[in-house]
């Protein structure tokens, strides 16, 4: 394929992926004592037996560097009213947790108010283009009845079921 065709593929790939409604999570880990977190939409369940998930992290992610060292990470599935939390953790810096309520759970930073929680140990890290896929074994879970935050067409929202005809 020539360069123009590749550019077109890359462009349309982004547009197609914008049509995919994704969940939003903050992936967390401890950098020594300091909690660190990163917003992701690229995560999904991988295996039921054993329970596993996967998360795709940019090669330049500071969180990825921490996970490489520590071998564990937390998945905070954000709630519908946490778009501000998603934006806070989508920037760079060591201060993302400043003013944020959280606790230590399974030796991982766990955000207050999230819709769901998965504590994981890293099973493996797999290269994928400019990202690295972290496969996690789930060691702790936490679930609420709160509706989740979603990301679609580059805006945040939440899921609404169709009206059921009676
Ligand atoms: C809605 C949304 C989804 C994102 N999804 C991902 C993702 O799946 N993987 C990723 O590596 N970065 C994703 N990002 C970008 C990271 O949050 C951002 O690059 C962050 O600054 C990385 O921080 P770190 O270097 O501290 O890990 C997303 C950002 C937003 C706003």
């Amino acid at each position: 394929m020539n360069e123009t065709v590749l550019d077109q593929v890359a462009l349309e790939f982004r547009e197609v992926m914008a049509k995919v409604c994704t969940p939003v999570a903050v992936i967390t880990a401890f950098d020594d004592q300091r909690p660190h977190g990163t917003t992701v939409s690229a995560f999904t369940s991988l295996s039921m037996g054993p329970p596993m998930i996967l998360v795709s992290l940019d090669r330049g992610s500071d969180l990825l560097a921490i996970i490489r060292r520590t071998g564990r990470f937390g998945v905070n599935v954000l709630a519908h009213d946490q778009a501000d939390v998603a934006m806070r953790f989508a920037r760079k810096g060591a201060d993302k947790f400043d003013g944020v309520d959280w606790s230590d759970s399974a030796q991982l930073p766990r955000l207050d108010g999230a819709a769901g929680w998965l504590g994981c140990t890293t099973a493996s890290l797999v290269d994928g283009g400019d990202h690295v896929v972290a496969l996690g074994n789930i060691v702790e879970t936490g679930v609420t009845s709160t509706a989740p935050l979603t990301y679609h067409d580059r805006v945040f929202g939440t899921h609404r079921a169709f009206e059921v005809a009676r």
Side-chain angles (χ1 to χ4, degrees), residues 36 38-42 56-58 61-63 90-92 96:
H36 193 85
T38 295
T39 300
V40 303
S41 55
S56 177
L57 290 167
D58 189 286
S61 161
D62 295 333
L63 183 83
R91 57 181 175 78
K92 298 295 262 190
K96 292 191 249 186

Side-chain angles (χ1 to χ4, degrees), residues 5 76 103 120 135 139 161:
V5 175
N76 298 267
S103 59
C120 304
L135 310 191
V139 296

Side-chain angles (χ1 to χ4, degrees), residues 123-154:
S124 55
L125 295 171
V126 182
D127 288 341
D130 57 9
H131 279 56
V132 170
V133 182
L135 310 191
N137 286 312
I138 291 151
V139 296
E140 189 178 72
T141 55
V143 69
T144 72
S145 57
T146 312
L149 186 66
T150 58
Y151 194 63
H152 169 231
D153 259 340
R154 301 182 179 92

